[in-house]
Every structure is written in C-alpha cells, then in structure tokens.
Amino acid sequence: MSERLSPGDTAPDFTLPDADGTSVSLAGHRGRKVIVYFYPAALTPGCTKQACDFTDNLDALAGSGYDVIGISPDKPEKLAKFREKENLRVTLLSDPSKGVLESYGAYGEKMMYGKAVTGVIRSTIVVDEEGKVERAFYNVRATGHVAKIIKDLGI
C-alpha cells in the first residue's frame, strides 16, 4: 500500500486529463489552495453525492480561495458523462493508471462489506498555496464530508 500523506508533506505534483481531455496540473494551481479529492467511480451513488456536495459548495470554497479537483480511475469520456448528467462544476481528472492515486495514498487495501479488497480509498487532501499538504483525510464518507471540510477550514 502506498504511503499516506501528512500535513507539511509536499503534495506530489501531477498532470492528468480532465473530462474534455485537457491536461491539468497541480503546479498550475500554485498561489491558490486546492482541495484534491479521490473517489472510486463516476456515476455511482456515493461518488455522485460527494461530487454534487462539492459543486453545491463550490462558490463558498472558491470565495475562500480554494479550487476543487476530483480524481478517479475513470476515463475522460465517463467523466464528461458524469459532469453533464449531474451538472458538476468541479474539475474532474482521469487517472486510469492509478499512479496519482497511489502517490497520494488513496489506492490500496481497504475493507468493503467486511472483506479486504484493493481499490480507491476515498480521501481528501487540502494543499496550500505553496504545494504543501495542509490537511489529509482518509477513508472518508461520501455523505457529510464536504460539510466537515468546510467546518474544519473555517469557511
């Protein structure tokens, strides 16, 4: 299993395609805070709830200087369908090789219905303006997580 990140760590840089196939990098967000969240699969109930929560709160987050990026192993075409179907406004990135997921400690062994399985660990990393990890949340719940982040960040 990959190493989990802790506050103060340098967030691994990445460049991944978005839902339209355009490359997006973490370095391109320097000077702004970024909430990077990792989710298992687009168009599933929990991931839809989480993405819609981020979209519903995007104005408050952006107003406080935060960009929001969601990363999953889905291909850009599926991310585009997800964005259109749910009217999502957050940036969705595709990581089919799972390299970025692994570098953030968001891929590995987890418990699912009482069994150990390997997959995406629902996680959220808050990165500061200089690219350092400000907060790291692992094994989060899809429901209520965005409200918890907003409260933790004092927004």
Side-chain angles (χ1 to χ4, degrees):
M1 185 168 122
S2 46
E3 197 77 17
R4 290 188 170 180
L5 298 176
S6 300
D9 289 348
T10 297
D13 198 14
F14 57 79
T15 300
L16 294 171
D18 68 8
D20 300 314
T22 304
S23 291
V24 175
S25 69
L26 182 63
H29 290 265
R30 282 289 187 285
R32 286 186 60 80
K33 295 182 181 189
V34 185
I35 296 170
V36 183
Y37 77 96
F38 299 92
Y39 62 99
L43 300 167
T44 58
C47 297
T48 297
K49 172 75 178 125
Q50 187 177 22
C52 288
D53 277 356
F54 272 118
T55 292
D56 292 346
N57 290 286
L58 193 58
D59 291 340
L61 291 165
S64 295
Y66 290 91
D67 294 333
V68 179
I69 297 174
I71 299 176
S72 75
D74 299 305
K75 298 234 180 305
E77 302 78 33
K78 186 173 180 187
L79 297 178
K81 281 184 194 156
F82 187 35
R83 180 185 63 198
E84 305 314 316
K85 182 173 189 269
E86 302 299 336
N87 296 315
L88 301 175
R89 295 186 300 135
V90 296
T91 300
L92 300 174
L93 302 182
S94 170
D95 184 22
S97 73
K98 302 176 188 75
V100 175
L101 287 154
E102 288 176 354
S103 71
Y104 275 78
Y107 188 83
E109 192 172 285
K110 62 181 183 174
M111 294 304 285
M112 198 159 155
Y113 307 113
K115 288 186 172 172
V117 298
T118 299
V120 177
I121 299 162
R122 194 181 299 276
S123 312
T124 302
I125 309 299
V126 180
V127 181
D128 71 14
E129 299 91 339
E130 280 83 51
K132 298 276 188 203
V133 174
E134 190 175 297
R135 294 198 165 113
F137 305 96
Y138 289 94
N139 295 310
V140 302
R141 296 207 167 279
T143 304
H145 179 60
V146 175
K148 182 185 181 327
I149 290 172
I150 288 171
K151 185 177 180 214
D152 283 1
L153 296 175
I155 298 172

